[in-house]
Amino acid sequence: MASPANPLHPSGAGAPPSSFEEATYRKVAWRLTPLLMLCYVVAYLDRVNVGFAKLQMQTDLSLSDTVYGFGAGIFFIGYFIFEIPSNVILHRVGARVWIARIMVSWGIISALTMFVTTPTMFYVMRFLLGVAEAGFFPGIILYLTYWYPAHRRGRMTTWFMTAIALSGVIGGPISGFILKAFDGVNGWHGWQWLFLLEGIPSIIVGIVVFLVLDDRIGKAAWLTDEERQLLQRNIDAEDATKEDPPIRQVLASPRVWLMSLIYFSFVIGLYGVSFWLPTIIKATGVADAFAIGLLSAIPFAAAVVAMVLVSRSADRARERRWHVAIPAFAGALGLVLSVVWAHSTLLAMASLTLATMGILTTLPLFWSLPTAFLAGTGAAAGIAMINSIGNLAGFLGPYAVGWLKQATAANDAGMYLLAAFMVLGGLLAVSVPARLVNR
């Protein structure tokens, strides 16, 4: 067995990794990845299940498309306000306690959304859900930098973010089933059961995180001394090449603002589709809630495959910019074609599948860009800032699509808007200097 005393060069140059090193990283992946993916599945499900709840609650509560879009999006205002402080706290107190706190609190708030009766209550609960969840996603991205160097982190980030697609694959049929099968049980509407039954798993998983997650390499009792030394040596070697500027300098950095704009462009596509996909499918002529749920799983299932294949290509080639841009352009094309073929369920589903594959593939690969040059507290603040500004698109996207749909009585203008932002994000990604991010 090769000795762990031969560290991998931080840039990835030099001798290939030893069998011991590969085995160690496989061990870490099997320990961390399933739990982190499970966390994100339940997180994303609680964030976007309002798209399915809309199929019933819009009529029950007399919500207009504009009111729904605003309520779906106001989540991200609370998220934006508390994102940076939450991530800095996580960096200081550790991921185990803070991620567990986030998950339990958002699970409770998501479940309590079943009791809303007015637009104002809907707005308040969505805002509070954003406050509760603030810091979760950038916290996980930061957490991965504690364990993986850049040339390994792209693939791990992708596996983590396939949870978005998996939540669509799993959540669509489950949400559709709950809406149909539980409607009227105990005198509650199906959408009320939806919020309750999909909020409880977040609480349970949060408790599991508190019990089993390790904050850092040095605290992982399931690793041997040699394994811990190898992992820490690789992280230390890479961190020596990164910037760790003061938080104030990070927040004013042109690089960080560019990353924020790129991410904003991609997120507007993500949530524009995520919150409105059930409505778009229904508009093609599908009326049954369970059938809508099954059909909505197709684009997300295809996206899992695309995300994994493209991330492998990016890590193998150690090229990031075009691996981000090309899926973004493909996502834009899919959005445009979904308008052109809106009156055919088959063709509309094909174009929505292309759009979802492209949009979701951009996201994990995007995060290989800022994490290539930020470290320490600067990384905590920078990642949180990029994510919080980017997620303002989660407010703008659903609201703009809802407003345009109500103003034009069609989905066309909203999809064109999302497509334009995906193209912008792709062009900006290509503009990033290759020397900065291709590691």
Side-chain angles (χ1 to χ4, degrees):
M1 178 178 291
S3 170
N6 298 318
L8 186 67
H9 189 280
S11 68
S18 66
S19 58
F20 176 80
E21 181 169 344
E22 291 295 343
T24 300
Y25 277 107
R26 281 196 299 271
K27 184 176 181 180
V28 173
W30 279 110
R31 174 76 181 199
L32 299 183
T33 307
L35 178 59
L36 297 181
M37 287 179 65
L38 178 60
C39 290
Y40 204 24
V41 165
V42 296
Y44 197 78
L45 191 60
D46 282 345
R47 186 183 296 187
V48 303
N49 60 8
V50 68
F52 281 93
K54 172 184 179 288
L55 298 175
Q56 289 182 354
M57 73 183 297
Q58 185 171 23
T59 300
D60 292 339
L61 303 182
S62 300
L63 305 179
S64 69
D65 284 326
T66 302
V67 168
Y68 163 73
F70 184 81
I74 201 173
F75 165 96
F76 296 97
I77 301 300
Y79 198 91
F80 172 79
I81 294 171
F82 290 94
E83 183 87 319
I84 293 176
S86 180
N87 218 36
V88 172
I89 292 172
L90 181 145
H91 183 63
R92 292 175 178 171
V93 307
R96 182 178 68 91
V97 170
W98 202 244
I99 294 298
R101 191 285 304 164
I102 289 173
M103 295 192 68
V104 171
S105 61
W106 95 51
I108 292 172
I109 292 170
S110 182
L112 291 176
T113 306
M114 67 181 291
F115 295 113
V116 303
T117 57
T118 67
T120 299
M121 291 178 66
F122 180 50
Y123 297 157
V124 169
M125 295 307 294
R126 291 292 297 176
F127 177 82
L128 291 178
L129 186 64
V131 172
E133 194 176 326
F136 171 74
F137 177 80
I140 297 297
I141 297 298
L142 179 65
Y143 182 68
L144 290 175
T145 69
Y146 300 158
W147 292 84
Y148 294 97
H151 69 278
R152 293 182 181 273
R153 199 162 52 243
R155 189 175 305 179
M156 299 314 303
T157 303
T158 294
W159 277 113
F160 166 60
M161 293 190 70
T162 56
I164 297 178
L166 289 174
S167 71
V169 174
I170 299 168
I174 290 177
S175 297
F177 173 77
I178 292 173
L179 287 178
K180 185 174 183 179
F182 284 77
D183 193 30
V185 175
N186 199 43
W188 293 343
H189 297 290
W191 63 267
Q192 292 177 295
W193 281 106
L194 179 67
F195 286 123
L196 175 63
L197 295 179
E198 292 186 354
I200 292 173
S202 295
I203 300 172
I204 296 173
V205 175
I207 295 171
V208 172
V209 167
F210 182 78
L211 294 176
V212 306
L213 194 68
D214 296 294
D215 289 330
R216 297 272 187 160
I217 293 169
K219 294 185 178 181
W222 44 274
L223 292 171
T224 66
D225 289 341
E226 288 185 329
E227 289 168 339
R228 281 193 292 269
Q229 290 167 11
L230 168 69
L231 295 171
Q232 193 62 55
R233 187 163 55 244
N234 286 348
I235 293 298
D236 291 343
E238 179 174 271
D239 283 350
T241 70
K242 293 182 179 180
E243 305 169 5
D244 186 7
I247 292 177
R248 182 179 300 177
Q249 185 177 334
V250 170
L251 302 184
S253 168
R255 287 180 184 173
V256 173
W257 278 98
L258 173 61
M259 295 295 161
S260 300
L261 181 55
I262 296 172
Y263 195 54
F264 181 95
S265 300
F266 295 154
V267 171
I268 200 171
L270 170 66
Y271 287 112
V273 170
S274 297
F275 285 129
W276 287 94
L277 182 61
T279 300
I280 295 170
I281 294 174
K282 184 177 182 180
T284 68
V286 181
D288 183 76
F290 184 54
I292 292 173
L294 290 175
L295 287 173
S296 71
I298 295 173
F300 291 102
V304 172
V305 178
M307 293 169 76
V308 172
L309 292 179
V310 176
S311 71
R312 285 180 178 176
S313 173
D315 279 355
R316 190 180 306 114
R318 303 208 176 179
E319 195 288 323
R320 309 296 171 185
R321 302 177 308 154
W322 285 103
H323 280 84
V324 171
I326 291 175
F329 299 148
L333 177 61
L335 289 169
V336 171
L337 291 178
S338 74
V339 172
V340 175
W341 293 330
H343 300 295
S344 167
T345 300
L346 178 61
L347 292 177
M349 286 302 305
S351 57
L352 288 170
T353 298
L354 175 62
T356 305
M357 290 169 66
I359 292 168
L360 289 182
T361 299
T362 64
L363 298 174
L365 292 173
F366 162 80
W367 284 108
S368 65
L369 306 182
T371 55
F373 62 85
L374 289 172
T377 303
I383 291 170
M385 175 180 166
I386 292 165
N387 193 61
S388 60
I389 292 176
N391 273 285
L392 284 178
F395 169 75
L396 178 61
Y399 180 68
V401 172
W403 183 85
L404 289 169
K405 182 177 184 294
Q406 186 165 315
T408 64
N411 293 314
D412 300 18
M415 295 302 103
Y416 289 141
L417 174 67
L418 302 182
F421 271 101
M422 292 303 299
V423 171
L424 174 63
L427 293 174
L428 291 174
V430 175
S431 75
V432 177
R435 60 176 175 75
L436 191 66
V437 296
N438 287 345
R439 299 187 181 187

